[in-house]
Amino acid sequence: SSHSPPPSPPGPSYCDIPADFSKVDSILRHLQQTESHDWLGEITHCCTQVCYLLLQNYNISRFNFYNYNFHLIALTTFFFAQRIWFFLWRVTQFSDAHGLRFACHIVLFLVLLDSLYCGMQLVLKDTFIGGLYLATPLLSSVLFYHVYLKANTNVFTAELFSMLCRCIYHSLETAYCIGILPLKFLQYEYIYYDTSRCMILTAFVTMHIFLSLFCLELHCLGSEVLQQARMLGEWRWIPDLTRLKSVSPKPAEWSCHDCPYPRGAVVRSKGRFYEAMATLNTCAPTSPGHCIYPIAFFLGDSQRTKALVLAALLLLNAALVHLVLWSNQWSMYAVMLIPNCGHFLYVKYRQSHAFFNPAHLNLRQLQWDLNIEMPQYKLNGTSGGGIHNSGLPLLSGHGHDPGGWGAYGDEPPEEDGDSGHPDDVLGDPGFAGGHLGDVLADAGVAACLQCPNPLFMSAVSASTMFFFGPSGAARSPDLGPSGLLRHEGPVRNDM
């Protein structure tokens, strides 16, 4: 034959995942549709920053509006809305609606044109040093996003740590734009202002903007934050090297590509040996425990995180009330109470939040959407129809408690649940364990979950277990606290 035989594909270290996993894709799309972008939160976040900016100008010039630097106010307002502009830019890249793309391009062009005009006016009125003050946030953002954030290559912790770093960075960025730039670009040099009041306002702005952006980021990432926080794990240093003489093979160097490490795994990092203590461990052994433990504690439970956020907002409001009662500048602090109290009520009573209050997943509607004729996929020569006997009670739905979706093995069962929502997973756990389990099993999910690819297991767990876990009355023995299957043996082939 003139045609050479096709080369055989290289043997992967993990089981191959079907390329066209239609039913799992449908489930993930259904999960994404339960939450929409938090436009109200984005606009409120931007307006809150602008409110603080105007308060800082009031601190400096009072009601003498001719002393306000409106070019700087306009430029800083455009900068505070950067998250909205980036979203519009993504719309221009991925939207199929030509009219929408054209409108977004026009808006972005006008924003860029106005920003350049305001920036040039400020530079012309000031010196070259003033231009450096204006360029500092832009240069810092480039270095932060394209250098610092890209240094984290651990896929199991990248989203979590990047989210926290973004919240800290942008809160400090807002403090710079409100606490430094207005004092640098004064309209007249003879203007007198109280430095202490400006510093107090900047400190409150930094804390409140951090909490506001933190809630927005949690909504954007949803259950992925919960999953990665629970998989951070814990490492114990092994000072007695005599215990390692009988270990065979010798402990390998820790690598993010080998995560997650199961309990009992021994690795070497920076000349020391460490033992994994949690069910799954993804953080570096040399990571400081006083930083890892608070992150896992605060973000390991969504309701605990919500309670802590509300407590922090309550403390900010209490401090503002104290300043209103005892300060001679009580009017400024009274205005600051408005966004702080509004944020508290928004977090407390919002009905749907991807992390705090996730939307109910209507499994009956989901199964109706999945009742489309699909081919039976094969995985390693096994058809999807034979998955029911694969020995995975979690998804088989036969001979196992319907609450086997549980991802939180140490939590007690919920008595009340959401009995008023029979179509929801939390209100109908029997349906979740039986019908949805069969749907997933028919698609071959069970076989893929049994494969030792930890990245795929994490993706499936982060996308599903968070929604189904709290409804389980009895927890499956095959699940660890993080919602992943306890394949502690094959997760690490070299241990």
Side-chain angles (χ1 to χ4, degrees), residues 208 307 309-315 317 338-350:
H208 185 209
V309 170
L310 291 175
L313 290 172
L314 188 61
L315 288 176
N317 286 302
I338 298 176
N340 279 272
C341 292
H343 190 199
F344 179 88
L345 296 176
Y346 186 68
V347 174
K348 174 67 176 177
Y349 295 107
R350 184 182 175 181

Side-chain angles (χ1 to χ4, degrees), residues 375-426:
Q376 294 292 327
Y377 299 100
K378 293 185 178 182
L379 179 67
N380 295 338
T382 305
S383 63
I387 300 301
H388 291 284
N389 298 324
S390 61
L392 186 65
L394 170 66
L395 296 176
S396 64
H398 303 291
H400 185 69
D401 190 278
W405 278 103
Y408 317 135
D410 296 330
E411 295 182 8
E414 294 186 3
E415 298 290 340
D416 299 329
D418 284 340
S419 57
H421 303 275
D423 293 339
D424 297 326
V425 60
L426 300 182

Side-chain angles (χ1 to χ4, degrees), residues 89-104:
W89 174 253
R90 288 195 295 268
V91 170
T92 63
Q93 301 298 309
F94 302 107
S95 177
D96 295 330
H98 297 286
L100 179 60
R101 291 208 312 268
F102 178 76
C104 291

Side-chain angles (χ1 to χ4, degrees), residues 243-279:
R243 296 177 49 193
L244 303 177
K245 293 182 179 180
S246 59
V247 177
S248 181
K250 293 299 180 182
E253 189 74 17
W254 181 88
S255 173
C256 62
H257 302 291
D258 295 327
C259 290
Y261 287 86
R263 180 187 287 112
V266 179
V267 298
R268 184 178 66 252
S269 180
K270 296 183 178 181
R272 289 186 170 188
F273 293 90
Y274 298 86
E275 180 184 1
M277 303 301 295
T279 304

Side-chain angles (χ1 to χ4, degrees), residues 317-379:
N317 286 302
L320 288 174
V321 170
H322 175 78
L323 291 174
V324 169
L325 295 177
W326 297 101
S327 175
N328 58 350
Q329 301 296 329
W330 62 270
S331 58
M332 183 190 72
Y333 302 117
V335 174
M336 293 175 62
L337 273 174
I338 298 176
N340 279 272
C341 292
H343 190 199
F344 179 88
L345 296 176
Y346 186 68
V347 174
K348 174 67 176 177
Y349 295 107
R350 184 182 175 181
Q351 295 299 321
S352 178
H353 189 280
F355 187 84
F356 297 144
N357 301 303
H360 295 289
L361 182 62
N362 191 324
L363 296 181
R364 287 193 174 90
Q365 180 63 35
L366 174 59
Q367 188 186 22
W368 178 268
D369 296 337
L370 293 177
N371 283 337
I372 303 174
E373 184 177 357
M374 294 182 182
Q376 294 292 327
Y377 299 100
K378 293 185 178 182
L379 179 67

